[in-house]
Amino acid sequence: MNNIACVWIPPKYNISYIEKLYNSVKRNLTQPFNFYCLTTHPEEINNSDIISIALEKDTMFEVGNKGWWYKSNLFDKHEWDGQVLYLDLDTVVMGSLDKFFEWEVGKFRICQDFNRHFQSEYPVSNSSVMAFEANAYTNFYKEFQEEKVKNVKRHRGDQDWLTRILGKSKCWWPKEWAMSYKWEVLKGGLKFVGTDQYNEDVTTLHKDTSVLVFHGKPNPGEVLSDPIIAENWK
């Protein structure tokens, strides 16, 4: 069985983000799937189609708003098999997800960090959209837990940890499949980092783009004036 996974650590996003992600996956995946949500608040999930995986609160992650480290739990052993496609809660699914389960099966697939827009060979991975074989990377979780204090201090976030631990063993998704909304898609893409200068006056979507990633600000719920988002984030 194919699996979709997300991680929900309140209060950054409310539960509607999980529902919208589930709905968008259901619209855009033709294959049967299980939908999992790893969360510190499993009691708040009442949708029978969403399988909660309870996580214990970690004080190290809670202090200083480091909730992204809960993603490390994706690599713990869970009661799932097949492939796992992980999506951040602030992603917007625009098109078919089938290809994410069909491309380079057996390899760890992940985004190239979106700084690629300004530096094409940027070496860091971005963990907003990634796929892997279920329970095939439990050594990642073991390594993280054994060196947790060191890992949290050494890396700015989970994607830097994953970049290091994956080395050259990963595959980056084709660029157009998962794109940064604010840097690569909005008004033809940002001209220069740190500015509000864009390449075009209108926003158009590449025909192969299936997922828009909202890293940092804004969040999807803050740009519903854009019909591309309003039509797909529901």
Side-chain angles (χ1 to χ4, degrees):
M1 177 69 80
N2 288 329
N3 309 284
I4 301 290
C6 65
V7 175
W8 180 48
I9 309 298
K12 183 175 182 180
Y13 300 116
N14 61 46
I15 201 167
S16 71
Y17 274 71
I18 307 172
E19 296 285 351
K20 287 180 172 65
L21 183 60
Y22 171 77
N23 292 339
S24 63
V25 169
K26 191 174 181 180
R27 291 193 300 269
N28 291 287
L29 186 56
T30 64
Q31 309 164 22
F33 67 93
N34 289 322
F35 189 100
Y36 292 90
C37 180
L38 285 70
T39 180
T40 51
H41 290 64
E43 71 283 354
E44 296 188 32
I45 298 177
N46 298 313
N47 187 331
S48 60
D49 292 321
I50 298 174
I51 305 166
S52 61
I53 297 178
L55 303 179
E56 291 187 10
K57 281 192 174 182
D58 191 310
T59 54
M60 187 180 298
F61 304 162
E62 298 290 331
V63 175
N65 192 26
K66 295 187 173 95
W68 54 76
W69 285 115
Y70 282 103
K71 284 189 193 179
S72 61
N73 288 277
L74 288 163
F75 307 110
D76 195 4
K77 185 173 178 59
H78 299 296
E79 295 300 319
W80 56 18
D81 55 38
Q83 295 188 76
V84 179
L85 175 62
Y86 169 81
L87 297 167
D88 269 355
L89 281 179
D90 56 0
T91 55
V92 177
V93 181
M94 317 293 295
S96 175
L97 294 175
D98 290 355
K99 59 193 177 189
F100 289 89
F101 287 101
E102 297 164 355
W103 184 77
E104 296 290 357
V105 175
K107 297 181 180 179
F108 195 106
R109 292 142 285 165
I110 192 169
C111 296
Q112 181 185 13
D113 188 78
F114 302 113
N115 279 292
R116 66 190 181 188
H117 181 61
F118 310 105
Q119 183 181 333
S120 62
E121 301 300 319
Y122 198 72
V124 178
S125 295
N126 180 285
S127 61
S128 297
V129 183
M130 51 185 175
F132 50 90
E133 293 293 324
N135 297 323
Y137 296 91
T138 54
N139 60 309
F140 285 14
Y141 181 74
K142 181 180 179 183
E143 189 270 357
F144 182 80
Q145 289 296 320
E146 288 177 348
E147 300 284 344
K148 184 166 66 172
V149 174
K150 182 178 178 181
N151 277 323
V152 171
K153 288 183 177 180
R154 177 181 180 183
H155 303 99
R156 290 176 297 175
D158 63 286
Q159 67 183 37
D160 296 294
W161 167 66
L162 279 170
T163 297
R164 177 182 63 80
I165 202 167
L166 282 167
K168 296 181 179 180
S169 67
K170 86 292 182 186
C171 289
W172 282 333
W173 300 116
K175 175 183 176 180
E176 292 79 13
W177 288 15
M179 302 191 75
S180 163
Y181 174 77
K182 67 178 181 180
W183 283 355
E184 298 179 316
V185 173
L186 182 64
K187 296 181 181 179
L190 198 61
K191 281 186 177 181
F192 307 104
V193 67
T195 73
D196 58 359
Q197 299 178 48
Y198 292 88
N199 288 308
E200 300 172 8
D201 294 327
V202 296
T203 298
T204 56
L205 203 62
H206 191 281
K207 62 181 179 60
D208 294 330
T209 302
S210 291
V211 181
L212 292 181
V213 178
F214 283 75
H215 49 103
K217 290 287 187 178
N219 294 319
E222 297 171 330
V223 291
L224 293 178
S225 57
D226 185 337
I228 291 176
I229 304 307
E231 291 168 10
N232 290 279
W233 195 68
K234 58 186 178 180

